[in-house]
Amino acid sequence: MLMTFLRVPLVALAMAAMCLAAQAETLKDIRKVSVAGDGSVSRDVVALTGQQLKRSVRSTRRPVALPKVAMEVHLANEIRGAGAQAGRNSAEVTVLLRGGSGAPVASERFIVNSFMTGKAADRALANAISQRIAVTYSLAPVRAASTGSRGNTKAYRKHQPAARRQAAPQAAAKSTGPAAEPIIIPSEAALTVKPRVRKPKAETSAAKTPAPCVVTVTTNCN
């Protein structure tokens, strides 16, 4: 009976030791992140995943000195659900950590699933990939990145005609500025005209109301 009672804590301690050892192998000071993908992966997924992971790495603080490594993320075999599986998307993720000499020190491979349809499908898949990597390597929480970036906006404006780019700020200035009120200069005749002031109507008072006629010996009301 005593052996059975002691066996449970011993098993728990062994599992905890195994978890600590596994975490010690994956816990590194990641200083650089690069994300790439094959032809099946959307460019937006690759770009958004790289943005979120870089933010997470910059926000991560290690309490002790750890080996500095560079993280290389490769995305492949992106699958978009269709028909009854619409909205179910997945991608194969391979993470490789390289030491200061460039030699591989650790690697991980897994499949990430996301559930979203329409234009937000790429963002949902990028969020799922970034969060999975952040949890696996004990990074700071991932903040979702927006689909529209400043780089894309600059590239769009760069390809626009010069006349349109110049007309846009002018139109914005006209629309945002306050509307100029017209200036009215009165003529000399208008300045000499006396204003008409309408006199208020005199109110009939109770004193001016005729008194009722009373027939007497000397007064006839007809």
Side-chain angles (χ1 to χ4, degrees):
M1 183 69 179
L2 182 61
M3 294 299 296
T4 304
F5 179 77
L6 294 175
R7 189 176 300 171
V8 176
L10 291 175
V11 172
L13 290 174
M15 293 180 64
M18 293 175 62
C19 293
L20 291 176
Q23 185 177 9
E25 293 180 357
T26 58
L27 193 60
K28 300 290 189 300
D29 188 6
I30 301 173
R31 310 299 298 176
K32 184 180 179 182
V33 179
S34 60
V35 181
D38 63 4
S40 66
V41 182
S42 170
R43 293 182 179 180
D44 290 339
V45 173
V46 175
L48 292 173
T49 302
Q51 291 177 12
Q52 295 178 79
L53 286 178
K54 290 176 182 178
R55 293 178 184 175
S56 178
V57 167
R58 286 195 299 265
S59 303
T60 302
R61 299 292 182 270
R62 302 302 190 191
V64 296
L66 295 172
K68 293 180 173 55
V69 297
M71 174 182 287
E72 296 179 1
V73 181
H74 183 72
L75 310 179
N77 299 328
E78 180 181 353
I79 299 176
R80 295 295 184 93
Q85 299 294 326
R88 182 183 180 92
N89 310 315
S90 64
E92 184 179 319
V93 183
T94 303
V95 181
L96 180 63
L97 301 182
R98 294 186 182 273
S101 61
V105 295
S107 62
E108 189 80 14
R109 187 176 182 181
F110 42 81
I111 296 177
V112 176
N113 298 313
S114 67
F115 303 89
M116 185 61 65
T117 59
K119 297 180 179 180
D122 290 341
R123 182 173 53 186
L125 184 57
N127 291 344
I129 295 172
S130 303
Q131 291 173 5
R132 173 64 182 277
I133 295 175
V135 171
T136 303
Y137 293 94
S138 301
L139 300 176
V142 171
R143 294 183 179 181
S146 60
T147 53
S149 61
R150 295 180 61 183
N152 294 338
T153 304
K154 292 181 179 179
Y156 172 77
R157 294 182 60 184
K158 183 178 180 181
H159 292 288
Q160 293 299 315
R164 183 176 298 179
R165 292 201 305 268
Q166 294 177 359
Q170 295 178 0
K174 291 181 179 180
S175 60
T176 56
E181 297 182 357
I183 301 176
I184 301 175
I185 302 176
S187 62
E188 184 177 356
L191 294 175
T192 57
V193 174
K194 294 183 179 181
R196 288 185 177 181
V197 179
R198 181 175 296 181
K199 297 182 179 181
K201 295 181 179 179
E203 298 181 356
T204 57
S205 60
K208 295 181 179 181
T209 305
C213 180
V214 178
V215 178
T216 63
V217 176
T218 60
T219 303
N220 186 5
C221 294
N222 294 331

